[in-house]
Amino acid sequence: LRVHAVPMDPPLGDGGRLLLVLSDRTRDRAVERMRADFVANASHELRTPLASLIGFIETLRGPAEDDREASARFLGIMAEQADRMRRLIDDLLGLSRIEITEHQPPTGRVDLGALAATEVEAMAPILAKRGARVALDAPVGLFAGPADAGQLAQVLRNLLENACRYGREGGTIRLSVERAVARTEANANPRWPARPGIVLSVADDGPGIPRQHLPRLTERFYRVDRGRGRDAGGTGLGLAIVKHIVNRHRGQLQIESEEGVGSTFRVWLPAE
Ligand code: ADP
């Protein structure tokens, strides 16, 4: 609690008067703490691959100097660690750029069906690695707007990558784009806004996410399984980026998951 005293001017009566302002700083403190945590987490995430790079450089300069086979193996690991740092820096910069523009609504229109098809094609190498396939149900000509094509492509990419990474090996990812059902209809989702919208959904048939984690998934660096997320190549920022892009579009993100069945990420966006 912050207490602030202001002398009243002109003073009323003989003794003068003070105006006391009491302000609750709980929220400010929470924001400050979140900021400090974020910097600490980001530094830690960068420092881990950096420490490994430094270690390998020392080994290559010393004990492994003349061992060609070991050198080649170490260089491979070093390339992976450097790539991990690059991805993390890209995501950190991306996130801060999105945050800066979050209060300026986008201005374009985006054919979500066409965008979905393009992004699925671009995912082919990652899908092949996991032996996964995408079942696409996204008619072209469903436009979101006002919208930013680059940012919505990133939403699709992050959700598809996660479905691939955490879904079942050899599994099926269902990607669909459809008109949001009007609120008046029986099967309408009561949580969606009442305006006309388009719903984009990415569903996997993976192990699912225990219920208690769901509310925290979009926090920066929050992972259900720390080691696993990192080993799988995630930066821990994917869903935070998705959430901020969806907010900028005045949309909504909904996450549903059932253990042993799979997870579904739905994004409601305003229809043009
Ligand atoms: P990461 O880079 O770690 O994937 P995200 O922000 O994209 O970061 O996701 C946060 C966490 O949410 C992941 O570490 C993972 O534990 C969980 N998660 C995300 N998508 C899925 C999914 N489709 N199935 C199961 N868990 C998921």
Side-chain angles (χ1 to χ4, degrees), residues 6-165:
V6 192
M8 299 264 287
D9 187 29
L12 289 172
D14 296 338
R17 290 191 181 191
L18 275 181
L19 177 67
L20 279 184
V21 182
L22 306 181
S23 43
D24 180 355
R25 303 255 296 143
T26 318
R27 232 186 97 80
D28 294 355
R29 282 282 139 77
V31 169
E32 277 164 26
R33 197 172 322 117
M34 268 168 61
R35 238 177 240 148
D37 283 352
F38 174 60
V39 172
N41 281 331
S43 311
H44 174 76
E45 295 285 335
L46 282 168
R47 192 178 264 161
T48 312
L50 186 62
S52 145
L53 277 174
I54 293 172
F56 280 115
I57 290 171
E58 277 164 11
T59 314
L60 285 173
R61 277 183 162 167
E65 204 178 355
D66 301 316
D67 184 341
R68 288 184 67 95
E69 199 188 307
S71 300
R73 194 155 39 86
F74 294 163
L75 282 170
I77 302 173
M78 289 167 76
E80 266 170 37
Q81 298 296 332
D83 191 52
R84 185 170 140 195
M85 292 184 77
R86 184 189 51 77
R87 267 182 289 125
L88 185 58
I89 291 167
D90 283 351
D91 276 0
L92 284 169
L93 286 176
L95 192 57
S96 86
R97 216 173 295 131
I98 294 160
E99 271 188 326
I100 290 168
T101 60
E102 197 166 323
H103 301 291
Q104 305 160 7
T107 52
R109 65 200 290 261
V110 178
D111 183 335
L112 284 176
L115 190 70
T118 310
E119 288 308 317
V120 170
E121 232 169 81
M123 287 284 296
I126 304 174
L127 287 164
K129 237 189 245 167
R130 294 280 290 167
R133 64 179 278 270
V134 174
L136 179 67
D137 179 10
V140 293
L142 288 178
F143 282 88
D148 180 303
Q151 290 191 339
L152 293 184
Q154 176 146 35
V155 165
L156 273 165
R157 227 162 14 226
N158 290 3
L159 294 180
L160 284 170
E161 263 175 29
N162 279 352
C164 210
R165 208 174 267 153

Side-chain angles (χ1 to χ4, degrees), residues 162 165-166 204 209 217 222-224 234-236 238-239 263 265:
N162 279 352
R165 208 174 267 153
Y166 307 108
D204 64 62
I209 304 161
L217 283 191
Y222 189 86
R223 294 175 169 111
V224 175
T235 60
L239 290 176
S263 312
F265 292 74

Side-chain angles (χ1 to χ4, degrees), residues 228-263:
R228 167 119 201 271
R230 230 181 261 139
D231 293 346
T235 60
L237 296 174
L239 290 176
I241 290 174
V242 167
K243 191 189 78 180
H244 282 280
I245 294 177
V246 171
N247 284 349
R248 180 172 182 234
H249 284 75
R250 308 285 179 265
Q252 278 188 29
L253 170 69
Q254 184 201 310
I255 309 173
E256 262 171 28
S257 190
E258 196 178 332
E259 282 185 81
V261 178
S263 312

